[in-house]
Amino acid sequence: DTAVSQTPKYLVTQMGNDKSIKCEQNLGHDTMYWYKQDSKKFLKIMFSYNNKELIINETVPNRFSPKSPDKAHLNLHINSLELGDSAVYFCASSPQGTVYGYTFGSGTRLTVV
Amino acid sequence: QKEVEQNSGPLSVPEGAIASLNCTYSDRGSQSFFWYRQYSGKSPELIMSIYSNGDKEDGRFTAQLNKASQYVSLLIRDSQPSDSATYLCAVSRDSNYQLIWGAGTKLIIKP
């Protein structure tokens, strides 16, 4: 049973398109995150939700919009995709707060052509 | 100054030796410290957490924390080729919902 699952695993799309990435966790965690990992492997937080409430909204283009319909799901919608959006996007979850660390999903490799 | 610093490597260690990975952090209020392992093309995986000064051992892994000097390290004993990966250090305050990440150290274990 996958604890944090993301779909799709790979996404290749043209510039200007709109796409969504879905994330679901079955760990009963209260907090979920979206991270972007660039080619240099640095993990950059984008958003975080705690019990469906947005608690972290880092400086990302407003073309990126998260949605959390319930505490087990956190989706990421990206409008008007650009070449620079190409990266691996990771979803993660944790019990409330950061005391116990995060569990990551397997990642979505987004390639914009 | 970066908030969490790691030597990017690569750090090359012969098989069977001890690999030593280091991480320094700038926020003296940090309370929780983590080491993640990330294989190429895979997601980060939590391997160690430490919360108080001293050593914490789990199998071949030992995490060491020194809050006065603001560093945390990871020792891997009897290194195996399967330990070759990028090791990420992450730090947080308890009241925060965000981990602060280092850029990672690439470790190569040579047979």
Side-chain angles (χ1 to χ4, degrees):
Chain A
D1 287 344
T2 304
V4 182
S5 60
Q6 287 179 238
T7 54
K9 192 169 177 62
Y10 299 97
L11 188 52
V12 180
T13 187
Q14 290 187 326
M15 283 176 55
N17 283 350
D18 303 339
K19 291 293 179 185
S20 292
I21 306 171
K22 295 186 176 182
C23 180
E24 176 182 2
Q25 56 95 3
N26 63 5
L27 298 166
H29 288 169
D30 289 328
T31 312
M32 295 185 74
Y33 310 82
W34 278 113
Y35 273 89
K36 179 180 181 180
Q37 189 172 47
D38 59 26
S39 57
K40 294 185 178 180
K41 304 298 183 185
F42 188 71
L43 275 168
K44 180 181 176 183
I45 184 128
M46 301 175 71
F47 303 103
S48 176
Y49 274 76
N50 185 61
N51 274 323
K52 300 193 299 176
E53 179 186 352
L54 181 65
I55 55 172
I56 294 174
N57 185 0
E58 290 293 303
T59 306
V60 299
N62 57 14
R63 299 181 293 105
F64 291 80
S65 54
K67 278 194 172 56
S68 182
D70 55 61
K71 77 171 193 177
H73 296 83
L74 179 61
N75 304 322
L76 183 66
H77 188 75
I78 316 170
N79 289 326
S80 302
L81 277 155
E82 300 177 357
L83 292 176
D85 298 331
S86 296
V88 180
Y89 292 84
F90 286 106
C91 176
S93 73
S94 70
Q96 191 165 19
T98 60
V99 177
Y100 303 107
Y102 299 167
T103 301
F104 282 85
S106 57
T108 296
R109 182 173 292 278
L110 172 65
T111 303
V112 182
V113 297
Chain B
Q1 181 188 6
K2 293 179 183 175
E3 294 182 78
V4 177
E5 293 205 52
Q6 296 181 253
N7 188 322
S8 62
L11 174 65
S12 185
V13 174
E15 184 176 357
I18 296 175
S20 178
L21 303 159
N22 298 314
C23 171
T24 58
Y25 60 94
S26 60
D27 184 354
R28 283 196 172 274
S30 300
Q31 298 291 329
S32 305
F33 306 85
F34 306 91
W35 283 100
Y36 283 77
R37 177 178 62 200
Q38 186 175 23
Y39 293 114
S40 181
K42 301 294 185 182
S43 59
E45 171 194 12
L46 179 64
I47 54 172
M48 289 290 285
S49 58
I50 188 166
Y51 307 99
S52 54
N53 281 329
D55 294 359
K56 179 182 177 182
E57 188 175 319
D58 183 0
R60 296 186 296 111
F61 298 97
T62 299
Q64 298 176 318
L65 175 61
N66 184 321
K67 289 186 178 180
S69 300
Q70 294 177 246
Y71 82 78
V72 57
S73 60
L74 180 70
L75 302 178
I76 307 174
R77 289 183 300 281
D78 188 23
S79 297
Q80 303 296 310
S82 60
D83 294 326
S84 297
T86 296
Y87 288 79
L88 300 165
C89 174
V91 172
S92 83
R93 286 175 172 263
D94 283 344
S95 59
N96 203 321
Y97 290 93
Q98 178 178 173
L99 288 180
I100 307 301
W101 295 85
T105 298
K106 184 172 183 178
L107 175 66
I108 299 171
I109 306 299
K110 291 188 172 180

